[in-house]
């Protein structure tokens, strides 16, 4: 029996994580183990598992990997990146005020900002081929405004805006967030053939140009209390359509984040809470 594996349970606005330091610990993660630990009745329970690892590129301080509760990998996670920055500082893995993290979804920089953590994601991708989003499907057609697409689902036609902020998203603008069909339509669209790699599906209600409400069905997880990249994607989509200001407060079921995007070619910045719940150890 090996050494106990130390971990932290953290959350960003209720989007919760198991965080493992694989810089000072040596362990091989597998999908069956991740699924077992993710179970909220018999395991630790989380939306995603985050692993901090030594850097594989000279211009990053650490790598980090993301796994959904079903054991599948994810490219990027905004709430997770904020928690990783907090975790690295709390564990004293680095004393640099600003950290650069490498992930499958590109580099992220982050720094403590008082009680919050602010991160910067790379410029979003809006070209369908880069998301990726397949416009060749028979049930996909162009919609208004420009950049939106109509997708036929079992629950009717939905207009969505596909984009990537390091991971694929589809944003649907709705009149009332409380009645949005997040489970039914979000679940179907997250696995729809128009998203060949799957996608997070956000339902966004615009209150005013500086304030939106958002619910997100996350690929491989289901609806979560918060989705950081989903918040960024919603603001980018709203900005592309001319409906939102450069700085927007995004209200999610678990709390609020602030997203800032100047426009095409610019990175996306997001600030919000990153909270340690407890630390523990287990014997795999």
């Amino acid at each position: 029996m090996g050494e106990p594996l130390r971990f932290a349970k953290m959350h960003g606005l209720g989007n919760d994580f198991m965080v493992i330091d694989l810089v000072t610990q040596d362990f091989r993660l597998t999908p069956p183990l991740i699924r077992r630990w993710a179970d909220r009745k018999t395991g630790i329970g989380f939306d995603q598992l985050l692993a901090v690892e030594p850097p594989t590129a000279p211009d990053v301080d650490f790598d980090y990997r993301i796994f959904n509760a079903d054991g599948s990998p994810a490219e990027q996670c905004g709430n997770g990146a904020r928690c990783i920055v907090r975790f690295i500082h709390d564990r004293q893995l680095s004393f640099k005020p600003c950290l650069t993290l490498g992930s499958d979804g590109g580099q992220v920089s982050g720094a403590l900002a008082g009680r919050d953590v602010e991160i910067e994601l790379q410029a979003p991708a809006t070209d369908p081929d880069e998301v990726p989003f397949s416009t060749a499907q028979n049930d996909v057609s162009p919609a208004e405004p420009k950049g939106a697409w109509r997708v036929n689902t079992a629950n009717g036609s939905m207009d969505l805006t596909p984009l990537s902020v390091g991971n694929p998203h589809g944003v649907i603008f709705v009149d009332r967030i409380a009645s949005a069909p997040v489970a039914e339509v979000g679940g179907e669209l997250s696995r729809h053939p128009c998203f060949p790699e799957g996608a997070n599906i956000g339902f966004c209600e615009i209150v005013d140009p500086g304030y939106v409400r958002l619910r997100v069905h996350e690929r491989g997880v289901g609806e979560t209390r918060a989705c950081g990249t989903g918040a960024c994607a919603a603001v980018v989509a709203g900005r592309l359509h001319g409906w939102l200001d450069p700085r927007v407060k995004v209200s999610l079921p678990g709390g609020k984040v602030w997203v800032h995007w100047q426009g095409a070619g610019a990175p996306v910045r997001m600030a919000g809470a990153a909270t340690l719940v407890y630390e523990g150890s287990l014997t795999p």
Side-chain angles (χ1 to χ4, degrees):
M1 189 172 296
E3 291 291 322
L5 180 68
R6 293 176 285 113
F7 69 92
K9 178 70 181 285
M10 302 185 73
H11 75 89
L13 309 183
N15 184 193
D16 61 338
F17 310 100
M18 177 182 180
V19 188
I20 301 175
D21 164 17
L22 294 183
V23 176
T24 65
Q25 300 180 111
D26 184 21
F27 188 80
R28 189 173 73 87
L29 297 168
T30 65
L33 264 181
I34 293 167
R35 289 193 293 270
R36 186 202 313 169
W37 293 340
D39 191 290
R40 295 189 181 276
K41 293 184 178 179
T42 60
I44 294 160
F46 51 80
D47 294 324
Q48 280 93 17
L49 182 147
L50 310 174
V52 186
E53 301 179 333
T56 55
D59 55 344
V60 302
D61 299 302
F62 298 90
D63 283 352
Y64 85 107
R65 288 190 292 156
I66 309 148
F67 298 93
N68 295 317
D70 65 359
S72 62
E75 301 92 342
Q76 195 55 272
C77 180
N79 289 324
R82 296 202 316 275
C83 286
I84 286 289
V85 171
R86 175 76 68 189
F87 178 84
I88 289 170
H89 281 289
D90 287 352
R91 289 292 180 96
Q92 298 185 341
L93 298 176
S94 174
F95 294 98
K96 293 180 63 174
C98 184
L99 298 169
T100 300
L101 309 174
S103 73
D104 289 342
Q107 292 185 10
V108 183
S109 61
L112 302 182
R115 298 177 63 181
D116 289 343
V117 177
E118 183 172 20
I119 63 169
E120 182 176 281
L121 302 170
Q122 294 181 329
T126 57
D127 183 278
D129 290 340
E130 295 179 8
V131 174
F133 178 79
S134 174
T135 61
Q137 302 294 320
N138 291 331
D139 48 4
V140 175
S141 58
E144 293 294 333
K146 183 180 179 181
W149 295 83
R150 182 160 296 166
V151 181
N152 296 327
T153 75
N155 293 275
S157 297
M158 294 287 163
D159 291 352
L160 61 81
T161 304
L163 59 96
S164 172
V165 285
N167 56 351
H169 287 264
V171 181
I172 300 171
F173 291 93
V174 298
D175 293 330
R176 294 188 67 252
I177 194 69
S179 57
V182 178
E184 302 85 355
V185 175
E188 181 181 354
L189 285 173
S190 71
R191 302 182 299 272
H192 194 280
C194 66
F195 288 106
E197 296 179 5
N200 298 332
I201 306 299
F203 296 78
C204 182
E205 174 191 343
I206 297 177
V207 180
D208 61 50
Y211 179 43
V212 302
R213 298 187 179 105
L214 181 70
R215 293 169 63 189
V216 181
H217 185 286
E218 290 200 48
R219 172 188 55 176
V221 181
E223 183 176 2
T224 57
R225 290 183 55 78
C227 177
T229 55
C232 294
V235 172
V236 170
R239 291 275 290 146
L240 289 172
H241 299 325
W243 299 333
L244 297 177
D245 293 336
R247 188 174 188 272
V248 180
K249 180 166 66 174
V250 182
S251 177
L252 300 123
K256 297 178 176 62
V257 294
W258 283 258
V259 177
H260 185 267
W261 188 55
Q262 287 285 18
V268 186
R269 298 203 307 272
M270 175 179 56
T275 305
L276 173 68
V277 182
Y278 64 83
E279 296 179 301
S281 63
L282 53 82
T283 302

